[in-house]
Amino acid sequence: MTNPFLLKLSTLAAVGDEDARFVEDLCRERRTVAAGSDLIEQGDRPEHVKIIFSGLACRYKLLSEGERQIMAFLVPGDICDLHIAVLGVMDHSIGVNGEAEVATIARDEVAEIVNHRPVLASALLKANLVDLAVLREWIVNNGRRAAYARIAHLLWELYLRHAVVGMVGNNQFFLPLTQRDLADATGLSYVHVSRTLTRLKEEGVIEWDRKRLTITDPEALRAISGFEPDYLHRLGDGTGPDGVSAT
Amino acid sequence: MTNPFLLKLSTLAAVGDEDARFVEDLCRERRTVAAGSDLIEQGDRPEHVKIIFSGLACRYKLLSEGERQIMAFLVPGDICDLHIAVLGVMDHSIGVNGEAEVATIARDEVAEIVNHRPVLASALLKANLVDLAVLREWIVNNGRRAAYARIAHLLWELYLRHAVVGMVGNNQFFLPLTQRDLADATGLSYVHVSRTLTRLKEEGVIEWDRKRLTITDPEALRAISGFEPDYLHRLGDGTGPDGVSAT
DNA sequence: CGCAGTGTTGACACCGTTCAACCCTAGTGG
DNA sequence: CCACTAGGGTTGAACGGTGTCAACACTGCG
């Protein structure tokens, strides 16, 4: 199964064959978007629901002085605001970090799921809960952890989330982020992010070469991050393809 | 109308008389909980949905070293996790800050709303969206604003949210928080919170005497906070009883 | 009265920011 | 093939916002 969206849903509910086919069919309309472009901008009233298939995207806001704060990353399989499509104006933007592949779903197809496919609907609901939990964890991370642990925690989160959708091999995955992106996600300066990453590399915890991140010592990274098990609600039992455990 | 929950729903959808009566009836079962106690604890599988009627509550997590991070405040009219009651384990706790009055709703009553009362259901959905937006704004606030603006922003948010549910009079409202609570919400130390509040008082922006907060100069507070209009999704048009505008 | 929780203030240390210079790499165009 | 450029990353030095430690004041309460 190479469809990360289906893969993710399968970890959240017991998706049957018929539902699986439906999901596969849903995602038929895909397109590639260029690195750095926005999927949705603040103020938009999105008409369609979008799903990330490959690459990385992020929710962000720009402040008046030009600072940017990233509030979430979207990894393959993630959905850009299921419900806002039904009612609201975006209060933030979603941009892609590297080149990304995105599927677009029409509203009435979402309605079809909600009304006639209870298993999928429940999976979507759970996915939504996980997003919320991740959001709360970011507040904890950015509010109460020092730079070293904060960055470790973010990398660990991204590692686990990529693992769940089968994007990790040999403790290694594609992460098209700049250090400025990391800084904007953690509320640090990019200079300090650079120093901190250097330290993580020196201590043999990670390697990061041209957008491929390798977790050389997963257990060390987890320990440094102060990662608390369970906040991802046992997303996929917390177990990735490499036997990565969230606990 | 003195029911803050109904008041809040009314600002989010056009609640008719019959729905209003239903809501009033929903909330009949109320109880008072003592200051400092927990409504829900991390690890619980809540059976009921709870609504704050008076007082203040907060979502929080404790870290291993004993630090606490508050991730959200719940003001009168707010709901403690509508959907988690249906499926999950709490990954955080909810505690009350002062003495609070809380209504309890059974699951099947929630189901009744979702299945048979579309107007209320839509209001609940929007309330959920607003909660999400507030959560995101906290990340921005704690990540990118300096202490002075950060605290101003939090106070401004609490001011607006209290105004929406009719709890503000003469730019004044009851806020049973300690400075430590503020520190745990903003990710600052309580010593620095004390200094910053002193500064806000000295500059004539606020007064805070035994749990009553007065916004002496609302426009100044808004300016200091760098508050961006609209992130509350025009919650109640952003207009409180005192003509407070969110824009 | 004494106590515990809360708030205030000062001194000092330190983590992280800012500013600046420099390097490396990939991409572009001649 | 090379020169040039722009973006990204690294490193050093100095500054400053915020944390930490500590002492003390105030308040409400048993």
Side-chain angles (χ1 to χ4, degrees):
Chain A
M1 166 161 44
T2 59
N3 182 326
F5 182 47
L6 180 53
L7 201 45
K8 181 180 173 178
L9 293 180
S10 302
T11 66
L12 294 169
V15 178
D17 285 351
E18 212 273 318
D19 276 342
R21 269 192 301 278
F22 177 80
V23 168
E24 290 282 13
D25 193 48
L26 260 192
C27 308
R28 88 201 82 86
E29 200 172 309
R30 302 188 206 171
R31 66 195 172 83
T32 301
V33 303
S37 53
D38 281 337
L39 287 180
I40 304 176
E41 281 176 64
Q42 190 167 349
D44 282 0
R45 295 183 165 273
E47 281 298 309
H48 302 287
V49 176
K50 298 195 169 100
I51 298 171
I52 310 294
F53 258 77
S54 67
L56 195 68
C58 64
R59 299 177 195 281
Y60 69 91
K61 274 192 195 185
L62 295 176
L63 298 194
S64 42
E65 314 296 326
E67 311 101 312
R68 181 176 63 152
Q69 175 72 43
I70 292 176
M71 299 163 301
F73 286 113
L74 303 174
V75 307
D78 282 347
I79 310 159
C80 305
D81 281 321
L82 190 55
H83 34 236
I84 196 126
V86 191
L87 16 97
V89 170
M90 291 292 289
D91 64 351
H92 63 277
S93 304
I94 299 181
V96 300
N97 295 90
E99 188 178 274
E101 208 184 349
V102 176
T104 301
I105 311 186
R107 276 193 198 186
D108 48 356
E109 289 177 309
V110 175
E112 154 84 10
I113 290 182
V114 173
N115 296 326
H116 302 302
R117 299 193 176 261
V119 173
L120 293 180
S122 138
L124 287 181
L125 202 58
K126 281 195 198 175
N128 199 22
L129 281 186
V130 173
D131 287 353
L132 256 171
V134 172
L135 212 54
R136 283 192 292 259
E137 188 61 24
W138 274 45
I139 292 178
V140 176
N141 195 34
N142 292 358
R144 283 283 173 240
R145 280 189 257 261
Y148 190 52
R150 199 184 298 181
I151 289 181
H153 192 278
L154 177 54
L155 295 181
W156 183 253
E157 178 204 317
L158 289 169
Y159 174 56
L160 280 190
R161 290 176 61 198
H162 277 83
V164 168
V165 287
M167 313 288 289
V168 171
N170 273 328
N171 288 338
Q172 198 177 110
F173 61 105
F174 182 65
L175 192 64
L177 291 177
T178 66
Q179 296 190 348
R180 174 174 294 275
D181 295 330
L182 275 188
D184 288 341
T186 51
L188 298 164
S189 71
Y190 68 90
V191 174
H192 202 64
V193 167
S194 174
R195 287 192 232 275
T196 308
L197 284 179
T198 302
R199 188 172 155 206
L200 281 169
K201 289 177 210 158
E202 278 171 3
E203 303 191 347
V205 181
I206 63 168
E207 281 167 27
W208 196 349
D209 185 46
R210 57 196 77 197
K211 311 301 183 197
R212 287 206 71 80
L213 176 64
T214 307
I215 313 296
T216 323
D217 187 343
E219 182 45 38
L221 186 63
R222 213 212 85 257
I224 294 165
S225 73
F227 190 92
E228 312 230 344
D230 235 30
Y231 91 82
L232 291 179
H233 285 244
R234 300 192 191 289
L235 179 59
D237 298 320
T239 308
D242 293 1
V244 178
S245 170
T247 55
Chain B
M1 169 159 43
T2 59
N3 182 326
F5 182 48
L6 181 52
L7 200 47
K8 181 181 174 179
L9 293 180
S10 303
T11 66
L12 294 168
V15 179
D17 285 351
E18 211 272 317
D19 276 341
R21 268 192 303 277
F22 178 80
V23 169
E24 290 282 14
D25 193 49
L26 259 192
C27 308
R28 89 200 81 83
E29 200 172 309
R30 302 188 206 173
R31 67 194 171 85
T32 301
V33 303
S37 53
D38 280 337
L39 287 180
I40 304 176
E41 279 176 65
Q42 190 166 348
D44 282 0
R45 295 185 165 271
E47 281 298 309
H48 301 287
V49 176
K50 298 195 169 100
I51 298 171
I52 310 293
F53 258 76
S54 66
L56 194 69
C58 65
R59 299 177 195 283
Y60 69 91
K61 274 192 194 186
L62 295 175
L63 297 196
S64 43
E65 313 296 327
E67 310 101 313
R68 181 176 63 152
Q69 175 71 43
I70 293 176
M71 300 164 299
F73 285 114
L74 303 173
V75 307
D78 282 347
I79 310 159
C80 306
D81 281 320
L82 189 55
H83 34 236
I84 197 126
V86 189
L87 16 96
V89 170
M90 291 293 288
D91 63 352
H92 62 278
S93 305
I94 299 181
V96 299
N97 295 89
E99 187 178 275
E101 208 184 350
V102 176
T104 301
I105 310 186
R107 276 193 200 186
D108 48 355
E109 289 177 309
V110 175
E112 153 85 10
I113 290 182
V114 172
N115 296 326
H116 302 303
R117 299 190 176 263
V119 173
L120 293 180
S122 138
L124 287 180
L125 201 57
K126 281 196 197 174
N128 200 22
L129 280 185
V130 173
D131 287 353
L132 257 172
V134 172
L135 213 53
R136 282 192 293 261
E137 187 61 24
W138 274 45
I139 292 178
V140 176
N141 194 35
N142 292 0
R144 283 283 174 239
R145 281 188 257 261
Y148 191 52
R150 198 183 300 181
I151 288 181
H153 193 278
L154 177 55
L155 295 181
W156 183 252
E157 178 204 317
L158 289 169
Y159 174 55
L160 281 189
R161 290 175 62 198
H162 278 83
V164 168
V165 287
M167 312 287 290
V168 172
N170 273 327
N171 288 339
Q172 197 175 109
F173 61 105
F174 182 65
L175 193 64
L177 290 177
T178 66
Q179 295 190 349
R180 175 175 294 274
D181 295 331
L182 275 188
D184 288 341
T186 52
L188 298 164
S189 69
Y190 66 87
V191 174
H192 203 64
V193 167
S194 175
R195 288 191 235 276
T196 308
L197 284 178
T198 302
R199 189 171 153 206
L200 281 169
K201 290 176 208 156
E202 278 170 4
E203 303 190 347
V205 181
I206 63 167
E207 283 167 26
W208 197 349
D209 185 45
R210 57 196 76 198
K211 310 302 182 195
R212 286 206 72 80
L213 176 64
T214 307
I215 313 296
T216 323
D217 188 342
E219 182 46 37
L221 186 64
R222 214 212 85 256
I224 294 165
S225 74
F227 189 92
E228 312 230 343
D230 236 29
Y231 91 83
L232 292 179
H233 285 245
R234 301 192 190 289
L235 179 60
D237 297 320
T239 306
D242 294 0
V244 179
S245 169
T247 55

